[in-house]
Amino acid sequence: MENKSTQTVVELCHLEKSFGDHEVLKDINLSVHKGEVISVIGSSGSGKSTMLRCINLLEIPTGGKIYYEGTDIESKEIKLTSYRAKVEMVFQQFNLFNNMTALDNCVKPQMIVLKRTREEAERIALEYIEKVGMSAYRNAKPSQLSGGQKQRIAIARALSMNPDVILFDEPTSALDPEMVGEVLEVMKSLAKAGYTMIVVTHEMGFAREVSDRVIFMDGGYIVEEGTPEEIFSSPKMERTKEFLSRVL
């Protein structure tokens, strides 16, 4: 995984998030470089998904700043819909529109947000639907698709927006075990193609094989970060060792 850019795409500075009295994120600092794949691991409730949701502004941070290409994402200069098109999110529960075909799920957001013509949006959508191996199902409704197929369409939808960064929030945790592999294969191919990805995942094999960096979160903090080799083979922090001894 050589030749990663040093260009910072997203930067979190002293990020905090509380829900009432409950502090979920505490002083999170992270720089994400162009073309980098970061896996975020940790127990449920450690703040991983909340961090992603803050990056996408689905949750408004309580403190600290998030910068996208150097601009504060809460500033007037950033239009939320355009920003979310650049920093796309793939959800655990797919979030597809059930009344639309797979193709329309990938076409409509392009037309609405990026103002592409139907023709252009369809051409782009079909290219990515093929890329995720779903061409045969382009006219199917979500109710006719398996979980793994829905997630692949959700990934095609994200790709159709030509994002700079893709956030994956536990993209395989709602899937049957035999479908996990097909979604991880698609994600591996995106990593190889140089997409910038932040992946919250329970799939340690994926994190180890595909990431440039692994971040271990616990109790709302980033406890440790390093290469997959460093985190999985020689973690420094006791808490990281404990977590890995349970999950590996």
Side-chain angles (χ1 to χ4, degrees), residues 64-217:
K65 295 280 183 204
I66 300 175
Y67 297 96
Y68 165 69
E69 295 189 334
T71 305
D72 178 352
I73 64 171
E74 292 187 77
S75 73
K76 300 267 185 294
E77 290 150 67
I78 287 201
K79 191 168 162 243
L80 188 56
T81 46
S82 316
Y83 169 69
R84 284 201 183 130
K86 287 288 172 207
V87 181
E88 272 286 325
M89 183 109 152
V90 174
F91 298 88
Q92 192 173 339
Q93 298 294 349
F94 329 123
N95 289 23
L96 297 175
F97 294 105
N98 290 321
N99 58 338
M100 291 184 195
T101 62
L103 178 59
D104 272 344
N105 264 286
C106 299
V107 165
K108 286 288 199 288
Q110 297 180 62
M111 292 171 67
I112 294 164
V113 178
L114 304 176
K115 306 289 183 256
R116 287 177 179 157
T117 61
R118 169 95 209 180
E119 191 183 9
E120 186 190 7
E122 206 162 287
R123 178 179 58 72
I124 290 165
L126 287 169
E127 180 190 326
Y128 289 114
I129 287 171
E130 184 175 346
K131 193 181 184 101
V132 300
M134 287 294 292
S135 292
Y137 298 93
R138 61 177 184 257
N139 295 319
K141 294 266 178 76
S143 60
Q144 299 166 297
L145 300 175
S146 71
Q149 291 170 330
K150 284 182 207 173
Q151 196 58 292
R152 285 191 282 162
I153 289 296
I155 293 171
R157 174 181 60 186
L159 293 172
S160 296
M161 303 298 279
N162 301 116
D164 290 334
V165 183
I166 310 179
L167 310 173
F168 290 90
D169 188 13
E170 302 193 11
T172 57
S173 63
L175 303 180
D176 293 337
E178 65 268 26
M179 289 169 190
V180 169
E182 63 188 54
V183 172
L184 292 180
E185 280 311 310
V186 169
M187 291 169 65
K188 283 175 193 171
S189 72
L190 299 181
K192 279 201 186 80
Y195 281 93
T196 309
M197 296 159 58
I198 307 176
V199 185
V200 168
T201 185
H202 293 295
E203 300 293 332
M204 297 301 144
F206 173 86
R208 183 175 232 161
E209 183 186 340
V210 179
S211 314
D212 299 293
R213 239 189 319 162
V214 176
I215 286 169
F216 170 63
M217 287 182 72

